[in-house]
Amino acid sequence: MFESTPQYLWVYLACILLIIELFTGYTVLLVLGVAVALAAAVAWFGGSIIWQLVTVVGACAIFIPVAIHFLGMRFKPNHKRD
């Protein structure tokens, strides 16, 4: 029923992270889900486990600060001083 190849394991993990993000609203889980989905794409094209892990770490290193920055801008109150 379930395949146990690395591509499918990454896809299963991405789906689990994205479903948990839908129920909790933690944007970091969305970013992790996207990073894991990118690792699934690398695995699908035949990348080794090292390249899959480099993809996850690299995507998280780029996407998490960007998500935090945009969330900070979104929820930052706009106070005007007189």
Side-chain angles (χ1 to χ4, degrees), residues 5-24:
T5 59
Q7 303 95 300
Y8 290 110
L9 294 176
W10 285 116
V11 169
Y12 298 149
L13 183 60
C15 289
I16 289 169
L17 286 170
L18 293 174
I19 289 170
I20 292 172
E21 191 275 331
L22 286 173
F23 286 116
T24 62

Side-chain angles (χ1 to χ4, degrees), residues 31-32 34-36 38-39 52-66:
V31 172
L32 287 174
V34 170
V36 170
L38 287 174
Q52 295 168 28
L53 294 175
V54 165
T55 302
V56 170
V57 171
C60 287
I62 294 170
F63 294 150
I64 288 177
V66 170

Side-chain angles (χ1 to χ4, degrees), residues 26-50:
Y26 291 125
T27 308
V28 174
L29 289 177
L30 175 68
V31 172
L32 287 174
V34 170
V36 170
L38 287 174
V42 170
W44 190 268
F45 288 116
S48 68
I49 189 69
I50 299 298

